[in-house]
């Protein structure tokens, strides 16, 4: 049985006054857009260097007494982090058809539950991991809330992340190992994981909850292998990322035309993927962006990347998240997003004219047939999400055949990363998600 640890309550500080929303002309928006204009006006190489430097950093913000997490959480492996707060955690491994070993963490309730409910699979975002869903700590993180409600919770770690760096034949340092994008995560990883969960739990269906890239992989799965729709009770898509051409983030807009060149440049130096976060990088981030100084360069970067909402976060949450992110991944995942942002289409990886003829038999990559994604799905999106525009979500909702809910988050300042880190995400999103899952159980 896991050991119980005492929890930590951070000291109370006066909360900062609410600042801006995307739709109001105020200081926060001016500050964010002013920095955006400066970066965008720099010559190409200067803006590239500035962007790369900023990408080494992670965000910070304000403080609040509602957290139970403490200073060791950023450096604890995810299983230790979960068991620290009294939850039973199991480690499971599934092997994909193309040979990748995937680690899942199974979170069980602290208390025995009488009713039997379907398992819940949680799918993380790009460069994320299972840590995405436990960073807020007990009584706040969605994984813990589901476990407290009696659900059998499974946290995936997709190929290339810190916890899933194994292959039956390919060495980790080989180019072939890293030759994947989120297409392979959807086409190979998710089927293996779902089948494994259903086999272990003897369930007929699984609930799915995805954030950002987790939703992208799900759309790949259900459109290319539609038989898996029958195995999904309900899909909850937070920041659903299929159409992403209306990106408002200046950081992302700068990177879109450069990401393929950067991937090729790194490949020429035999580097094919993102390294996972380390204790050294965590110490460096804290030195550059101290937690006691909320309006630092990391906070500014967060505003520019996902949308301005600095007062939404507690610095301890940001520290936990940055301690576990990036969790690793292939550069091809970023390239694939850049491609669909440019094309405006939700389509397979573009290998170029000759490569496409070899791979697909046509000059252009095929689009994913979202009409084949027939399992019930609920879409949650932020009005201030600078990576997934509300109009893109509304267009997606018109194509998917079985949308049961389209939910803009009530807080107009709610952005992309708020689905994981915002201090009010439970009240705004998670409680309703659990209610919806109950209705489909």
């Amino acid at each position: 049985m896991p050991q119980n640890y005492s929890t930590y309550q951070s000291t109370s500080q006066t909360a900062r006054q609410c600042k801006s929303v995307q739709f109001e002309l105020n200081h926060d928006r001016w500050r964010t857009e002013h920095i955006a204009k400066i970066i965008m006006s720099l010559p190409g190489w200067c803006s590239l260097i500035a962007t790369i430097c900023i990408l080494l950093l992670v965000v910070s913000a304000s403080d609040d007494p509602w957290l139970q997490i403490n200073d060791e959480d950023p450096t604890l492996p995810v299983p230790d982090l979960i068991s620290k707060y009294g939850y039973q955690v199991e480690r499971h491994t599934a092997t994909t058809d193309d040979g990748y070993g995937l680690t899942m963490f199974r979170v069980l309730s602290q208390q025995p539950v009488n009713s039997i409910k379907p398992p819940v699979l949680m799918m993380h975002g790009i460069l994320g991991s299972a840590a995405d869903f436990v960073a807020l700590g007990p009584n706040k993180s969605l994984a813990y809330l589901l476990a407290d409600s009696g659900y059998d919770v499974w946290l995936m770690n997709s190929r290339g992340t810190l916890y899933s760096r194994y292959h039956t034949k390919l060495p980790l340092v080989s180019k072939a190992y890293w030759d994947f994008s989120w297409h392979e995560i959807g086409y190979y990883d998710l089927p293996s994981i779902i089948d494994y969960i259903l086999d272990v739990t003897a369930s007929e269906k699984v609930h799915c909850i995805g954030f950002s890239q987790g939703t992208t992989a799900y759309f790949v799965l259900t459109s290319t292998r539609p038989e898996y729709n029958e195995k999904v009770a309900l899909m909850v898509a937070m920041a659903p990322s299929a159409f992403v051409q209306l990106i408002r983030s200046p950081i992302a807009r700068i990177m879109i035309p450069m990401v393929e060149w950067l991937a090729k440049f790194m490949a020429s130096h035999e580097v094919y993927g993102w390294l996972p976060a380390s204790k050294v990088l965590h110490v460096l981030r804290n030195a550059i962006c101290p937690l006691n100084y909320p309006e630092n360069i990391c906070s500014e970067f967060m505003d520019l990347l996902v949308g301005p909402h600095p007062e939404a976060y507690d610095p301890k949450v940001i520290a936990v998240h940055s301690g576990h992110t990036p969790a690793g991944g292939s550069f091809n995942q970023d390239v694939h997003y850049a491609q669909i942002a440019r094309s405006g289409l939700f389509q397979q990886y573009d290998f170029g004219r000759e490569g496409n003829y070899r791979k697909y038999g046509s000059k252009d990559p095929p689009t994913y047939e979202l009409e084949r994604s027939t399992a019930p799905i609920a879409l949650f999106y932020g009005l201030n999400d600078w990576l997934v525009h509300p109009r893109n979500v509304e267009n997606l909702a018109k194509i998917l055949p079985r949308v049961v809910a389209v939910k803009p988050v009530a807080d107009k300042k709610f952005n992309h990363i708020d689905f994981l880190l915002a201090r009010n995400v439970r009240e705004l999103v998670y409680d309703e998600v659990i209610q919806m899952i109950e209705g489909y159980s």
Side-chain angles (χ1 to χ4, degrees):
M1 294 291 292
Q3 183 179 358
N4 286 302
Y5 288 77
S6 60
T7 56
Y8 176 87
Q9 289 286 101
S10 59
T11 55
S12 175
Q13 292 183 358
T14 303
R16 290 190 291 165
Q17 295 296 318
C18 291
K19 293 184 177 178
S20 67
V21 297
Q22 169 80 23
F23 312 101
E24 299 175 6
L25 185 60
N26 51 38
H27 173 70
D28 268 350
R29 179 175 178 177
W30 175 88
R31 181 187 61 175
T32 301
E33 292 184 350
H34 181 65
I35 297 170
K37 288 176 182 177
I38 293 174
I39 293 179
M40 296 292 284
S41 66
L42 291 172
W45 282 103
C46 293
S47 63
L48 171 62
I49 292 170
T51 302
I52 291 174
C53 289
I54 293 174
L55 283 172
L56 295 175
L57 308 174
V58 178
V59 299
S60 184
S62 60
D63 198 8
D64 212 348
W66 51 261
L67 292 172
Q68 298 182 43
I69 58 178
N70 61 33
D71 293 340
E72 70 173 348
D73 289 14
T75 57
L76 286 177
V78 170
D80 294 347
L81 184 61
I82 295 169
S83 63
K84 167 184 172 178
Y85 292 110
Y87 291 84
Q88 298 178 60
V89 58
E90 298 173 357
R91 189 183 188 114
H92 293 257
T93 302
T95 303
T96 67
D97 290 343
D98 58 345
Y100 286 79
L102 309 174
T103 297
M104 296 162 284
F105 301 127
R106 184 184 191 185
V107 185
L108 302 173
S109 177
Q110 292 174 299
Q111 303 296 332
V113 205
N114 295 326
S115 61
I116 299 174
K117 300 181 179 182
V120 179
L121 169 61
M122 306 189 73
M123 305 170 289
H124 59 77
I126 191 169
L127 299 182
S129 69
D132 281 3
F133 300 108
V134 295
L136 282 170
N139 202 40
K140 284 288 182 178
S141 291
L142 185 51
Y144 295 137
L145 294 174
L146 285 163
D148 293 341
S149 299
Y151 285 96
D152 185 356
V153 181
W154 295 73
L155 308 179
M156 75 172 287
N157 295 281
S158 62
R159 62 181 64 196
T161 59
L162 174 64
Y163 301 101
S164 295
R165 295 195 154 201
Y166 167 76
H167 195 279
T168 54
K169 295 180 181 177
L170 301 173
L172 182 63
V173 295
S174 67
K175 180 180 180 180
Y177 175 92
W178 296 100
D179 190 16
F180 65 84
S181 75
W182 39 257
H183 172 85
E184 284 73 21
I185 295 173
Y187 191 83
Y188 292 110
D189 291 12
L190 287 184
S192 299
I193 288 172
I194 289 173
D195 287 341
Y196 183 95
I197 292 172
L198 296 181
D199 182 57
V200 169
T201 61
S203 298
E204 293 183 359
K205 297 198 176 199
V206 61
H207 292 297
C208 293
I209 297 175
F211 165 69
S212 193
Q213 182 191 257
T215 70
T216 313
Y218 174 84
F219 294 134
V220 171
L221 168 66
T222 51
S223 61
T224 59
R225 306 181 78 163
E227 64 273 17
Y228 277 86
N229 285 288
E230 298 301 318
K231 301 182 181 185
V232 177
L234 174 69
M235 166 62 176
V236 175
M238 301 186 296
S241 306
F243 302 113
V244 293
Q245 70 270 33
L246 297 179
I247 288 174
R248 291 176 280 180
S249 164
I251 299 292
R253 283 162 49 200
I254 287 170
M255 293 304 297
I256 285 169
M258 299 178 180
V259 67
E260 289 188 76
W261 177 87
L262 286 171
K264 289 177 181 177
F265 174 79
M266 298 302 289
S268 68
H269 292 76
E270 299 184 342
V271 178
Y272 309 105
W274 294 89
L275 294 174
S278 64
K279 290 184 180 180
V280 173
L281 183 58
H282 179 66
V283 171
L284 178 62
R285 284 168 174 160
N286 287 344
I288 297 173
C289 299
L291 299 181
N292 59 357
Y293 178 61
E295 294 185 4
N296 54 51
I297 190 172
C298 300
S299 178
E300 303 291 356
F301 169 67
M302 172 66 93
D303 290 350
L304 290 167
L305 181 63
V306 299
H309 198 191
E311 67 273 21
Y313 320 110
D314 187 283
K316 289 186 179 297
V317 173
I318 299 304
V320 175
H321 184 255
S322 65
H324 294 272
T325 307
S330 170
F331 293 142
N332 288 346
Q333 294 166 248
D334 305 274
V335 171
H336 202 169
Y337 272 124
Q339 290 176 352
I340 65 172
R342 286 198 304 265
S343 70
L345 302 172
F346 186 46
Q347 61 186 16
Q348 296 194 32
Y349 196 92
D350 191 342
F351 295 95
R353 181 182 290 262
E354 292 184 8
N356 289 339
Y357 270 116
R358 288 194 298 269
K359 178 76 172 178
Y360 311 118
S362 61
K363 67 182 179 68
D364 297 315
T367 56
Y368 295 103
E369 298 178 46
L370 289 166
E371 297 84 357
R372 303 174 80 186
S373 183
T374 57
I377 184 169
L379 307 174
F380 288 79
Y381 65 96
L383 296 172
N384 191 33
D385 189 335
W386 280 17
L387 295 177
V388 178
H389 197 283
R391 272 208 309 273
N392 285 153
V393 179
E394 291 160 7
N395 291 337
L396 173 64
K398 294 174 184 176
I399 298 173
L400 294 169
R402 201 175 171 191
V403 176
V404 298
V406 182
K407 298 279 188 178
V409 180
D411 183 353
K412 291 183 178 180
K413 301 170 72 175
F414 205 86
N415 63 32
H416 196 77
I417 203 67
D418 284 351
F419 283 102
L420 302 181
L421 305 181
R423 62 178 79 238
N424 59 351
V425 65
R426 175 178 180 177
E427 295 76 17
L428 292 174
V429 180
Y430 293 170
D431 287 343
E432 187 170 6
V433 166
I434 295 173
Q435 258 188 350
M436 294 189 72
I437 288 178
E438 291 280 356
Y440 282 83
S441 295

